[in-house]
Amino acid sequence: MSDIESSADIVVITIIPKLERQAILKEFSSKWPAANKRDLPGSTTLLEINTSKNWRPRIAVRAIYEAGNLACAIETTNMLSRFNPRFAFLCGIAGNMNHDKRQLGDVVVSGSYAYKSFTRMSSGKKLESTMPNGPVISRKMFDRASDYFASNFIDFSGSDVRQFLGDCSLPRESESEVGKIFCWDLVLDCDETRRELVASDREYRAVEMEMYGFLRALQAFSDLRRHPIDGLVFRGLSDPASGKSNSDHGKTNWRGYAARNAARCLASFINDLSEDDCMDLNF
């Protein structure tokens, strides 16, 4: 492998090849139609783009095929070791935690998160858990994302919306928000549990299964290599996380629409990055 193919300024991790990775590559091609793109071993695509700030980063995109924090930590570490990037982003779909604040199709960008770990099965089949402290989003990256999404409107319209939504009409236009994500190692498909979790923290916006492992990998790699890496998580809300009775039973392609919206937010954010951001973030 050449030096060019073994280095990238940005790595993008996702899980589902034919949904999330496909949406990312499609949005990237739309944002940067002149990008130089080539496929590499390991189901990885490398793009060379030119952002609106005249930065020319290389972006490596990989779908890791397996959900969960452990798989994400392992594969993120592999990508960091392989490409030695400046930034890393996790992008894909998630469940909608707070139905009063967010709707399907909205995008949550990680401002903060909480991770719940199950630690013991005690007598009476009681499943015990803890919420350990973990890596945090750097203040500089949090401020950069908050400023960007507060001052920039992400246009989620397009000719493909009807292909995703069919005859379904949204209560309002889809939105993006820098918010709090709840992470654990389970698929949440129970409205009672969702309500209990939201009652414990009204700031929760999305629920997913990879963010903790992703950030752990970034922290471990940064500590080992003494090479700081900043990252964010982009999650499109694709399901109500509250059971099949509260869904539309597959009549609407919410997964495709949410994956597309998350990818669009990611592309917009990357397009605003410059060499100065690398300097500001201690690279």
Side-chain angles (χ1 to χ4, degrees), residues 54 60 111 148 175 180 209 218 228 279:
N54 291 319
Y148 179 77
E175 297 176 346
K180 190 171 186 177
M209 300 167 55
L218 264 60
M279 298 294 290

Side-chain angles (χ1 to χ4, degrees), residues 12-266:
V12 177
I13 306 293
T14 192
I15 309 302
I16 310 172
K18 292 185 178 180
L19 175 70
E20 297 167 335
R21 180 174 180 269
Q22 180 175 305
I24 290 168
L25 294 178
K26 183 176 181 179
E27 287 298 318
F28 282 12
S29 295
S30 176
K31 177 65 72 176
W32 304 291
N36 180 13
K37 181 174 70 173
R38 56 189 179 277
D39 292 327
L40 302 180
S43 302
T44 302
T45 300
L46 187 68
L47 301 94
E48 298 177 65
I49 69 164
N50 189 10
T51 73
S52 63
K53 301 297 178 65
N54 291 319
W55 183 36
R56 301 182 63 85
R58 290 183 296 272
I59 307 175
V61 181
R62 173 169 163 74
I64 66 176
Y65 292 87
E66 184 178 352
N69 285 288
L70 177 59
C72 191
I74 293 170
E75 294 297 340
T76 298
T77 300
N78 289 340
M79 286 292 283
L80 299 179
S81 299
R82 180 180 178 187
F83 291 104
N84 206 38
R86 301 180 180 189
F87 301 104
F89 300 111
L90 176 64
C91 183
I93 59 176
N96 182 11
M97 283 285 274
N98 194 325
H99 297 181
D100 295 332
K101 299 293 184 180
R102 298 265 61 98
Q103 67 182 26
L104 298 188
D106 285 351
V107 178
V108 179
V109 182
S110 57
S112 61
Y113 76 103
Y115 172 63
K116 188 169 188 176
S117 173
F118 295 96
T119 57
R120 177 184 300 181
M121 177 68 77
S122 58
S123 60
K125 296 184 178 180
K126 182 180 179 182
L127 188 59
E128 299 180 11
S129 64
T130 184
M131 300 187 75
N133 293 325
V136 298
I137 305 294
S138 77
R139 188 70 208 182
K140 289 181 179 180
M141 181 58 90
F142 172 81
D143 290 342
R144 184 68 173 81
S146 297
D147 291 345
Y148 179 77
F149 288 103
S151 58
N152 290 272
F153 171 74
I154 308 299
D155 185 4
F156 293 114
S157 64
S159 59
D160 58 347
V161 172
R162 193 53 52 199
Q163 299 174 20
F164 292 118
L165 302 185
D167 296 329
C168 177
S169 59
L170 295 170
R172 57 162 172 75
E173 295 297 317
S174 297
E175 297 176 346
S176 59
E177 173 191 7
V178 176
K180 190 171 186 177
I181 295 175
F182 178 78
C183 179
W184 61 357
D185 294 288
L186 300 171
V187 174
L188 180 56
D189 196 27
C190 171
D191 194 48
E192 181 181 2
T193 302
R194 181 193 66 80
R195 290 175 180 274
E196 290 176 356
L197 289 169
V198 172
S200 70
D201 191 334
R202 299 293 298 177
E203 296 301 312
Y204 289 152
R205 295 292 184 267
V207 54
E208 54 94 86
M209 300 167 55
E210 287 85 28
M211 182 175 175
Y212 182 75
F214 172 74
L215 292 179
R216 272 294 186 194
L218 264 60
Q219 181 189 54
F221 188 84
S222 297
D223 291 345
L224 180 64
R225 297 285 184 91
R226 296 184 178 178
H227 172 84
I229 302 174
D230 262 300
L232 288 171
V233 177
F234 292 74
R235 290 302 194 190
L237 303 181
S238 64
D239 67 85
S242 56
K244 297 185 184 301
S245 63
N246 294 301
S247 71
D248 64 1
H249 301 281
K251 296 177 182 178
T252 305
N253 185 9
W254 289 115
R255 285 161 60 89
Y257 182 63
R260 174 260 213 185
N261 287 357
R264 183 163 297 184
C265 279
L266 173 60

